[in-house]
Amino acid sequence: DIQMTQSPSTLSASVGDRVTITCRASQSISSWLAWYQHKPGKAPKLLIYKASSLQRGVPSRFSGSGSETEFTLTITSLQPDDFATYYCQQYNHFSSMYTFGQGTKLEIK
Amino acid sequence: EVQLLESGGGLVQPGGSLRLACAASGFSFSTYATSWVRQAPGKGLEWVAAISGAGGRTFYADSVKGRFIISRDNSKDMMYLQMDSLRVEDTAVYHCAKSIRPTVPQGEFDFWGQGTQVTVSS
């Protein structure tokens, strides 16, 4: 099975900061990686798909990069609405179906 | 506007059963695969089950295989999760999610519902 490992688990930052979250796959997943934002009591929201493609309607301060086993989500100029938990997810692999990382909670410093 | 609305959650004793439903609107339901994803208290997201757009293929996480059954009724734009032999560790908020593809496991989840709470406790 493919395991997804995110770091850090928690990240403290201030409005206006630039932050980066890392996601590592236990084996190559090509570019079949998505990033989601999740707030308590809300529906998760797709931010990035295919590792680096920005979902329609998502602000351009969000960006994704990487391939194979190493991926990053970068948020430039943090806004108050960005404080949430972020998950990476691999897909397109029958051996592991859909696997999420354990999440990164982005907190206000 | 795409909408996914879950229902059917509640409190059930260990060993009991529950049937969740997901009502979809705003898109051609039968064209896309759909999934159930859960979040246990204090934990992250966990994929539970998926079904192809036509409904012919189903897939399950090992943690629920043999106890849960996913199904869909494309004539009603509905997806279901029949949960039997429930365990305390099945306690979670259950979200339905729409894939961008008709087949599983291709495609990311572009729309999600807010979820329904399932609590398994004696």
Side-chain angles (χ1 to χ4, degrees):
Chain A
D1 285 6
I2 300 173
Q3 309 298 322
M4 306 300 292
T5 304
Q6 285 182 235
S7 60
S9 296
T10 306
L11 183 55
S12 296
S14 302
V15 172
D17 285 354
R18 172 190 170 107
V19 298
T20 298
I21 299 169
T22 298
C23 179
R24 289 187 173 86
S26 59
Q27 64 188 72
S28 174
I29 58 170
S30 184
S31 295
W32 301 114
L33 185 104
W35 289 97
Y36 301 90
Q37 177 192 68
H38 191 202
K39 298 179 181 179
K42 302 288 189 180
K45 177 184 178 182
L46 175 65
L47 302 174
I48 302 287
Y49 62 96
K50 226 179 287 182
S52 60
S53 296
L54 190 68
Q55 174 68 354
R56 192 181 316 164
V58 174
S60 58
R61 62 180 180 273
F62 291 91
S63 65
S65 65
S67 65
E68 307 297 338
T69 62
E70 193 97 2
F71 303 87
T72 59
L73 173 70
T74 299
I75 313 171
T76 58
S77 189
L78 272 173
Q79 299 300 300
D81 190 51
D82 299 339
F83 293 95
T85 301
Y86 292 85
Y87 294 92
C88 62
Q89 177 210 32
Q90 69 82 22
Y91 53 93
N92 223 36
H93 293 81
F94 270 103
S95 65
S96 296
M97 302 306 292
Y98 306 101
T99 312
F100 291 91
Q102 80 276 20
T104 295
K105 186 175 183 180
L106 178 55
E107 300 178 327
I108 300 176
K109 187 185 288 184
Chain B
E1 179 192 7
V2 171
Q3 288 194 336
L4 296 168
L5 184 62
E6 304 92 341
S7 62
L11 174 63
V12 62
Q13 290 188 338
S17 297
L18 215 51
R19 189 194 195 206
L20 305 184
C22 174
S25 61
F27 65 100
S28 177
F29 183 66
S30 63
T31 302
Y32 301 98
T34 47
S35 282
W36 289 98
V37 178
R38 69 186 180 184
Q39 183 176 31
K43 304 291 186 181
L45 299 174
E46 178 192 15
W47 171 76
V48 172
I51 186 167
S52 61
R57 299 200 74 185
T58 58
F59 303 84
Y60 300 91
D62 288 344
S63 58
V64 306
K65 205 171 291 183
R67 301 187 298 121
F68 290 11
I69 297 174
I70 188 172
S71 62
R72 64 193 293 156
D73 184 340
N74 286 344
S75 69
K76 296 181 179 177
D77 291 352
M78 296 289 295
M79 178 177 68
Y80 305 97
L81 187 68
Q82 177 65 41
M83 304 187 296
D84 297 324
S85 302
L86 281 161
R87 304 168 180 168
V88 171
E89 54 264 35
D90 294 319
T91 295
V93 173
Y94 285 73
H95 299 272
C96 59
K98 168 191 169 292
S99 172
I100 67 161
R101 303 272 183 227
T103 52
V104 177
Q106 284 79 24
E108 60 278 4
F109 301 154
D110 60 346
F111 289 97
W112 298 62
Q114 284 191 266
T116 186
Q117 175 71 49
V118 171
T119 302
V120 185
S121 174
S122 54

